[in-house]
Amino acid sequence: MEYDWDDGNVSHLGLHEITPIEAEEVLEDAPIVTQAQRHSGEDRFLVLGHTKSGRLLALVYTERGNKARVVTGYRMTKRQREIYFRERAL
């Protein structure tokens, strides 16, 4: 998968203490899609996943052409962690 990174989404992720590498790790390790919605004319997906170091992250991303563009991300909430571990156990 290719990614669409620029100063805007990299700095926004930085506000949440997430690096682009961590976001890519989440997207490349079979994340769980928990929500999809239409926003500004494009589909956006909320996914739950983990990094190689074990951080549990929620990401919102969209697909533009053949690239994934991460819009935002944050540490999973308690409820999201429950969903994540329940779904991973299946």
Side-chain angles (χ1 to χ4, degrees):
M1 178 180 298
E2 292 186 47
Y3 298 93
D4 179 10
W5 295 113
D6 62 26
D7 290 342
N9 61 350
V10 170
S11 65
H12 185 80
L13 279 180
L15 295 173
H16 299 280
E17 300 179 347
I18 298 172
T19 67
I21 291 172
E22 289 176 311
E24 291 177 12
E25 289 173 356
V26 168
L27 291 175
E28 292 174 0
D29 192 32
I32 296 167
V33 178
T34 62
Q35 188 176 22
Q37 62 180 307
R38 196 94 173 132
H39 185 275
S40 300
E42 62 187 9
D43 294 324
R44 292 191 177 179
F45 306 94
L46 173 63
V47 298
L48 306 177
H50 66 275
T51 66
K52 289 181 180 177
S53 68
R55 289 187 71 195
L56 299 174
L57 301 177
L59 299 178
V60 175
Y61 81 98
T62 190
E63 294 176 0
R64 293 185 179 165
N66 64 343
K67 293 183 179 182
R69 180 175 177 80
V70 178
V71 177
T72 193
Y74 52 90
R75 287 185 5 211
M76 282 185 212
T77 65
K78 180 180 178 184
R79 178 73 178 124
Q80 288 170 329
R81 287 191 306 271
E82 291 168 357
I83 292 167
Y84 179 72
F85 287 117
R86 183 180 68 235
E87 294 295 319
R88 293 290 287 196
L90 298 178

